[in-house]
Amino acid sequence: MVSAPPLTQPPSPVEFAAPGADADDDDDDFEATVVVSRRRGVRRVLVLDDGRSFALSATSVVIGRNPTGEPGEQRLAIADSTRTLSKTHARLIVQADEWRLTDLHSTNGVVVVADDGAETLLDPGESVIGAGRFVLGEVGMHVEVGTDS
């Protein structure tokens, strides 16, 4: 005959406490509430000329075929059949309705397109503030700004 293991009582709350903590300290955990930001805010999307779109989840975004960036930056990898987009091509910093675009010493450059169609090629490492269309290599794009509902 096989005997069942003896029934045990569930551990008391004190047994779950961190080493050196008293049972009275457990109440502090219930009193502290972490506030989560649920503001309705601005939603930004990078839209390519071919219709593909990418949500921008950070203020600073590094764009390329296989970009590397700083901690906290969004790394946005874009498939490019023309292969004119560098692995790490440009940094886009988006604020309000404007962006700051920096050429990260890309092979095929960054072109900013003005409202009248005039194109300006940035020097390697140069930054510019704008609000319209830009071209990385041969990949055209712009930032759309909307609001979350």
Side-chain angles (χ1 to χ4, degrees):
M1 177 171 177
V2 176
S3 63
L7 294 175
T8 59
Q9 295 293 327
S12 70
V14 174
E15 291 177 58
F16 285 113
D22 294 334
D24 293 336
D25 290 341
D26 289 341
D27 288 341
D28 290 340
D29 291 340
F30 295 108
E31 296 298 321
T33 302
V34 176
V35 177
V36 177
S37 175
R38 299 212 188 276
R39 295 177 296 162
R40 294 179 186 195
V42 176
R43 179 183 46 84
R44 295 174 180 92
V45 179
L46 185 68
V47 180
L48 276 55
D49 289 352
D50 67 8
R52 290 182 287 165
S53 63
F54 302 89
L56 301 179
S57 61
T59 302
S60 182
V61 182
V62 180
I63 303 168
R65 287 192 333 267
N66 187 17
T68 59
E70 300 296 321
E73 286 185 310
Q74 179 183 0
R75 293 166 183 89
L76 185 57
I78 298 176
D80 174 28
S81 61
T82 68
R83 298 203 38 95
T84 60
L85 193 60
S86 295
K87 288 181 183 178
T88 301
H89 201 107
R91 175 172 288 113
L92 177 68
I93 298 176
V94 183
Q95 294 178 333
D97 293 335
E98 288 184 330
W99 44 253
R100 173 179 291 277
L101 188 63
T102 304
D103 182 338
L104 298 176
H105 300 273
S106 63
T107 301
N108 291 306
V110 173
V111 174
V112 177
V113 183
D115 290 339
D116 65 1
E119 296 183 350
T120 303
L121 176 65
L122 300 184
D123 290 328
E126 183 180 6
S127 292
V128 67
I129 294 175
R133 186 171 168 270
F134 52 94
V135 182
L136 307 180
E138 291 184 359
V139 183
M141 58 194 77
H142 66 279
V143 176
E144 287 186 2
V145 180
T147 56
D148 291 334
S149 52

